[in-house]
Amino acid sequence: MSLYDGVDLRLNVPHSARMYDYFLGGFTNFAADREAAGHVLAIAPWVHDAARANRSFMHRSTRALALAGIDQFLDIGTGIPTSPNLHEIAQGVEPRARVVYADNDPIVLTHAQALLTGNPEGRTAYVEADVTDPVGLLAAPGLRDTIDFSRPVALSLNALLHFVPDAHGAYELVDHLKSVLAPGSALVMTHLTAEFAPEEIGRVIGIYEAAGTAVQARARAEFARFFDGWSLLPPGVVPIPHWRPTADEPPLSASESTGYAGVALRP
Ligand SMILES: C[S@@+](CC[C@H](N)C(=O)[O-])C[C@H]1O[C@@H](n2cnc3c(N)ncnc32)[C@H](O)[C@@H]1O
């Protein structure tokens, strides 16, 4: 009996979540994922560091928001668990924090148990859902039972929306998710851009698209548009490693970061 019995993981096709796991040094990846990830690294060897920098931004932004008093978190496009996961950071600050994870990848679901071992005082839940159907996602019982939408929520969409092209409703779905959140809620995002390394990122996108995964890198202004109407927290929209860096992390250049980060509050 294996963890994956009865789950169609399409192991012969590279998958974005498993390639990301490989970039992070994880073990939930298979030959096709490693081969495609190897092609990416041959073009852009800094992607290893960029993936870690993206993760580290999640730690810093979650800690900052928990310290500011937010105790409910909705993380969409969670990915394969990589400790520390978001609930470990949030509950490390506020043990009663409630965290809901959502992803549409069956392999993430099979690992959800690892995500759900939260602090007994807090609560964690996992919902299998697609961000392109925000109405269905928000109606999931596991989410409604855990999050009180009359109070502030930190919504994180990290390294997710470059997998949702404009034609699949990226801006509309973010607007919908923002509209259900109470004043004082936060939108936390990272996103691939081609602005720092256009030639390399163009070729990397080709590898994902050859595997059937649509990717749309966005320019700074296109990324900033997701936050429209909300107040960006300092330092605003910046390359991912430049969002409130800590002294104990190696400084990465913008080109090595591959993406932008931002955190905004609903007025
Ligand atoms: C690069 S990983 C990012 C993981 C994590 N958010 C982080 O930043 O460390 C992207 C995740 O988004 C998920 N994903 C992609 N498209 C999605 C969709 N339409 N709905 C929900 N999740 C999606 C993938 O399955 C994958 O787990």
Side-chain angles (χ1 to χ4, degrees), residues 83-168:
S83 191
N85 292 292
L86 192 150
H87 71 281
E88 297 168 75
I89 304 284
Q91 293 177 348
V93 176
E94 170 46 79
R96 286 167 302 180
R98 295 180 164 215
V99 179
V100 175
Y101 293 111
D103 203 289
N104 70 344
D105 181 6
I107 203 164
V108 177
L109 176 64
T110 62
H111 288 271
Q113 208 48 46
L115 287 171
L116 295 179
T117 10
N119 191 303
E121 294 168 65
R123 276 177 70 179
T124 54
Y126 179 85
V127 297
E128 188 173 25
D130 198 306
V131 75
T132 60
D133 174 19
V135 175
L137 187 152
L138 290 167
L143 192 155
R144 287 276 157 195
D145 295 349
T146 310
I147 301 256
D148 172 2
F149 282 91
S150 70
R151 297 198 305 111
V153 175
L155 166 67
S156 46
L157 307 171
N158 290 329
L160 170 66
L161 287 179
H162 42 243
F163 296 121
V164 185
D166 290 356
H168 296 186

Side-chain angles (χ1 to χ4, degrees), residues 15-21 23-24 51 54-58 75-80 82 102-108 126 128-133 137 156-164 173 190 208 213:
H15 190 282
S16 65
R18 303 187 306 240
M19 288 169 67
Y20 182 68
D21 177 73
F23 296 139
L24 287 172
N54 181 62
R55 216 51 211 167
S56 168
F57 163 80
M58 182 274 279
D75 180 53
I76 307 179
T78 296
I80 292 160
T82 303
D103 203 289
N104 70 344
D105 181 6
I107 203 164
V108 177
Y126 179 85
E128 188 173 25
D130 198 306
V131 75
T132 60
D133 174 19
L137 187 152
S156 46
L157 307 171
N158 290 329
L160 170 66
L161 287 179
H162 42 243
F163 296 121
V164 185
L173 77 85
T190 60
Y208 280 86
T213 301

